[in-house]
Amino acid sequence: MVSALQNPRQAAAQLLNFALILSTAFMMWKGLSVIADSPSPIVVVLSGSMEPAFQRGDLLFLWNRNFLAETEVGEIVVYNVKGKDIPIVHRLSAALAFLLPGGILWLTELTLNMGNRDDAKLLTKGDNNVADDTELYAKGQDYIERKDIIGSVVAYIPFVGYVTILLSEHPWLKTVMLGIMGLVVVLQRE
Amino acid sequence: MAASQEKITVHSLPDLKNTSDDAIPAYLNSLQFKQSHTLSDVRLALGYTAFAICAATFYWDYKLGFEPTKLYTTIAVIVYSLINGFLTFWIWGVEKGAIYIGTSPNGETIRISSSSTKHVPKYKLLVTTASKDGKVKEQKIERSFTEWFDSAGHFVPKPFQQMFASNVETIGRVDTKNVVKKEKKIKAEDDGKSMNEKWASLLAESSGDAPIVAETTATPAKGTKRRAKKA
């Protein structure tokens, strides 16, 4: 480290190595986001509400573009609820057809390109839950819209996401990991 | 010319290589060679530009969210990959492990790159020199690290500098003190040799072989030659 101080170019080069590892990881993530058109193209299942399809810790890959196929009822989607930070992974259970004075007429099939429209009104439900998600939505919200969805699940890897659950439940682990990574990169010149 | 105070772990090949790499600019610059930093400066500029783009992307994504910044993020991702691709090309295709590029006080240019194979404690150097009239000479030097590191891990500059001064003419012309002459020894052995063998040893000397390597290989080389004649 002393030699690094004497040689600013070498110090800058070593710092750059570290910076490029971090930035490349971030830009790959962003690239994936842009391709999938989803702010968060890879998510981890946090609850058991979709069992037996998905378990806690499963890693899900999302796709949020409709040029190959419409979003359809029956797909498993990840959506955001206003006022909540954590996205929810549930199955699309119905699409709204009409708002009637006495209630809502739900359809179990999307028609007339409804799935492509940003304001398509949709209902979701966890496979393992008894009732649909109206309880989970914001106050007074009876449905979600297509634009609330950040992606449909297209692939998954079981369990590997458990690391991130550990990291988010024990935030100090993050600091430790980042610290170790930083030290290794700065001290090693291999 | 005493050994350095700093110690390295002799079992660590990267340490051996890095210490040797660092010693080259120190040595050559002490001989009034003028070091050129252009290549590494371009690398640093490219790298930090890429990092700045990433930092900006991170900032506006954090401030404004995904949807409003989608277009800028797409552009940033493309530009970042282009710069990073070019940076990779620069490191592998242009810098090629160069650790020293400079000009000698005589106006000759020199470029030194180094490498080592995993688990083999040998320092491999590729020295490219160009005289003022543009004559390019490329030579490879492969030497054991043990020649300039003692068993405790101290770097001993003298043999290291001698290796350069004796093998690379561009350096030898400036650092005459460190040129190790091999002629006397060879002359002593010369008696009784045929003209051909004298030529062979002269050739071996001029081809940039290390003095120590030359000494050890001289005898077996003679032997094989004799055997070949008999056959």
Side-chain angles (χ1 to χ4, degrees):
Chain A
M1 288 313 284
V2 181
S3 66
L5 291 176
Q6 287 164 354
N7 189 342
R9 270 197 186 81
Q10 205 175 70
Q14 267 169 272
L15 189 69
L16 182 63
N17 282 346
F18 184 49
L20 281 184
I21 288 173
L22 287 183
S23 63
T24 304
F26 179 73
M27 288 315 257
M28 278 167 75
W29 170 256
K30 278 292 142 200
L32 200 60
S33 298
V34 166
I35 291 168
D37 193 24
S38 166
S40 178
I42 299 173
V43 294
V44 174
V45 179
L46 297 175
S47 80
S49 63
M50 276 304 283
E51 280 182 28
F54 299 127
Q55 262 135 44
R56 227 165 103 80
D58 287 358
L59 199 69
L60 308 182
F61 295 87
L62 307 184
W63 183 253
N64 197 27
R65 288 188 187 276
N66 281 124
F67 54 64
L68 287 179
E70 272 186 56
T71 308
E72 282 171 18
V73 169
E75 268 181 38
I76 299 169
V77 297
V78 178
Y79 64 91
N80 278 315
V81 177
K82 286 169 209 96
K84 284 187 184 169
D85 315 329
I86 299 166
I88 298 170
V89 190
H90 278 171
R91 198 182 291 276
L92 277 185
S93 58
L96 181 145
F98 301 108
L99 268 175
L100 302 172
I104 298 170
L105 175 64
W106 289 106
L107 291 180
T108 51
E109 234 172 83
L110 282 171
T111 48
L112 299 170
N113 285 339
M114 279 165 79
N116 287 343
R117 285 171 42 193
D118 266 1
D119 59 348
K121 295 167 180 57
L122 306 160
L123 187 67
T124 53
K125 179 183 170 299
D127 285 2
N128 202 24
N129 292 353
V130 182
D132 62 39
D133 288 353
T134 27
E135 286 286 305
L136 295 172
Y137 300 156
K139 240 184 189 169
Q141 189 183 354
D142 292 327
Y143 47 79
I144 59 164
E145 294 183 336
R146 174 66 185 84
K147 60 173 184 281
D148 295 325
I149 293 175
I150 61 171
S152 308
V153 179
V154 285
Y156 81 108
I157 306 174
F159 200 66
V160 290
Y162 216 87
V163 186
T164 62
I165 294 184
L166 282 179
L167 285 178
S168 62
E169 280 173 5
H170 309 280
W172 57 271
L173 275 173
K174 274 187 212 168
T175 327
V176 172
M177 251 182 64
L178 209 69
I180 292 174
M181 272 165 56
L183 268 180
V184 167
V185 173
V186 169
L187 293 181
Q188 252 189 359
R189 264 180 66 195
E190 213 163 329
Chain B
M1 286 294 171
S4 64
Q5 289 300 301
E6 255 181 89
K7 269 203 295 186
I8 58 137
T9 320
V10 285
H11 315 288
S12 162
L13 200 53
D15 270 10
L16 289 168
K17 183 175 173 291
N18 288 335
T19 311
S20 306
D21 285 354
D22 291 347
I24 292 174
Y27 167 54
L28 293 182
N29 291 344
S30 78
L31 297 173
Q32 308 305 319
F33 274 64
K34 231 179 116 48
Q35 190 173 358
S36 156
H37 291 292
T38 319
L39 289 192
S40 55
D41 284 350
V42 170
R43 168 164 47 87
L44 289 175
L46 284 171
Y48 279 104
T49 309
F51 182 68
I53 290 170
C54 173
T57 311
F58 181 83
Y59 178 76
W60 71 53
D61 183 66
Y62 179 78
K63 273 275 162 194
L64 305 167
F66 179 73
E67 283 298 325
T69 59
K70 216 152 56 180
L71 178 66
Y72 302 102
T73 307
T74 311
I75 295 168
V77 167
I78 293 167
V79 173
Y80 183 89
S81 347
L82 287 178
I83 293 181
N84 231 355
F86 188 69
L87 181 67
T88 312
F89 162 75
W90 191 261
I91 291 169
W92 292 104
V94 181
E95 281 197 277
K96 285 187 214 151
I99 44 171
Y100 189 89
I101 294 168
T103 315
S104 85
N106 301 333
E108 296 166 308
T109 57
I110 184 166
R111 176 199 169 100
I112 304 174
S113 52
S114 74
S115 61
S116 62
T117 319
K118 225 174 189 177
H119 308 309
V120 181
K122 288 261 169 76
Y123 194 41
K124 287 190 239 169
L125 291 164
L126 180 68
V127 185
T128 314
T129 50
S131 58
K132 262 193 224 162
D133 49 358
K135 258 192 180 169
V136 179
K137 188 181 169 193
E138 210 171 75
Q139 60 188 118
K140 282 182 181 148
I141 307 174
E142 186 174 335
R143 303 291 284 268
S144 169
F145 283 112
T146 51
E147 287 175 32
W148 56 87
F149 282 101
D150 64 16
S151 56
H154 296 289
F155 176 78
V156 190
K158 189 78 183 170
F160 187 69
Q161 298 175 356
Q162 281 174 346
M163 163 179 73
F164 280 101
S166 325
N167 288 295
V168 184
E169 284 168 13
T170 306
I171 301 173
R173 270 197 281 279
V174 183
D175 192 14
T176 42
K177 290 197 310 288
N178 273 324
V179 178
V180 182
K181 296 267 188 218
K182 296 166 285 182
E183 281 148 286
K184 271 180 197 166
K185 269 181 192 165
I186 288 160
K187 258 178 198 150
E189 292 167 357
D190 268 355
D191 306 327
K193 268 195 210 171
S194 72
M195 198 60 206
N196 274 345
E197 282 167 335
K198 278 183 196 168
W199 269 115
S201 65
L202 276 173
L203 275 175
E205 193 187 344
S206 61
S207 69
D209 269 345
I212 292 168
V213 176
E215 274 164 36
T216 49
T217 53
T219 352
K222 258 188 276 168
T224 51
K225 215 168 259 169
R226 288 214 175 111
R227 241 174 276 137
K229 263 180 200 166
K230 269 180 210 163

